[in-house]
Amino acid sequence: NVVLEEFTGIHCTFCPDGHAIAQGIYDMHPEDVILVNVHVGPFAAPSGGEPDYRTPWGAALDGQAGVAGYPAGTVNRHLFAGWGQQGGTAMSRNYLVAASDQIMASESYLNVGCESFLTAAGQLTVNVEVYYTGDSPESVNFLNVAILQNNVFGPQTGGGAGNNYQHMHMLRHFLTGQWGVEITETTEGS
């Protein structure tokens, strides 16, 4: 499966094109793709009463990926030789389809199941189970659980909708913290 983290901002002229590319990848494989839009960087800074879609995690994710221009994206935080900006996992939007195709063609060595419950009082409980169907190539894996928000209408340069651009897949919170929960049992059957 593909987890495509897109680095974007409301003042980024070419970000709507990146959003469309990412949505196209999702539309071709809706059961196998998760999109996460991270509002970060100089184009994400609001002005004049605009909404602030940035999160406390954006700058660290941006730095980890080596973003050099916007929009950019990472696919499974995988390093694709020759495609990364500044040698990192962040790629320009023109590489996202090919990178996603490569990941989807590879074998998965685990399954992830998730269920969540929201009480009337607003308490969210999320249970996640990871089952290894094969051995991971890494002795330690990390599980991230994020809260995303869809259908947020707001400004977007280049979006052609003024202040009514429909923002989707917006990162709002990491339940597992910045880098996730460490999984140390990564062999088949665990």
Side-chain angles (χ1 to χ4, degrees):
N1 291 345
V2 165
V3 177
L4 194 163
E5 292 170 290
E6 186 178 356
F7 301 96
T8 186
I10 61 174
H11 294 288
C12 171
T13 302
F14 299 107
C15 284
D17 185 51
H19 302 160
I21 291 168
Q23 188 64 46
I25 294 167
Y26 175 84
D27 290 346
M28 292 294 294
H29 309 279
E31 298 296 319
D32 301 318
V33 175
I34 300 292
L35 303 177
V36 180
N37 283 12
V38 181
H39 288 254
V40 64
F43 296 114
S47 65
E50 294 172 328
D52 191 352
Y53 299 141
R54 297 172 296 176
T55 68
W57 305 283
L61 292 170
D62 187 270
Q64 172 202 12
V67 176
Y70 301 87
T74 65
V75 175
N76 292 28
R77 297 184 182 173
H78 182 81
L79 182 61
F80 294 89
W83 293 356
Q85 297 177 347
Q86 301 187 86
T89 60
M91 299 171 280
S92 297
R93 64 189 185 279
N94 57 312
Y95 293 114
L96 296 177
V97 171
S100 296
D101 288 345
Q102 279 188 31
I103 292 296
M104 283 190 270
S106 64
E107 292 292 321
S108 176
Y109 48 86
L110 60 87
N111 293 322
V112 179
C114 178
E115 64 180 358
S116 60
F117 308 94
L118 184 63
T119 68
Q123 175 76 30
L124 177 66
T125 300
V126 179
N127 296 315
V128 181
E129 182 177 293
V130 178
Y131 180 77
Y132 285 82
T133 58
D135 293 340
S136 169
E138 305 295 331
S139 61
V140 175
N141 293 151
F142 292 88
L143 173 71
N144 289 88
V145 178
I147 294 179
L148 308 177
Q149 185 176 7
N150 286 331
N151 304 309
V152 177
F153 291 89
Q156 178 63 61
T157 303
N163 288 328
N164 291 310
Y165 185 83
Q166 187 175 10
H167 293 277
M168 303 294 285
H169 328 291
M170 291 175 58
L171 175 64
R172 291 311 216 178
H173 189 66
F174 274 125
L175 296 178
T176 51
Q178 176 78 35
W179 305 115
V181 173
E182 186 176 290
I183 300 173
T184 57
E185 296 179 36
T186 63
T187 57
E188 184 175 352
S190 60

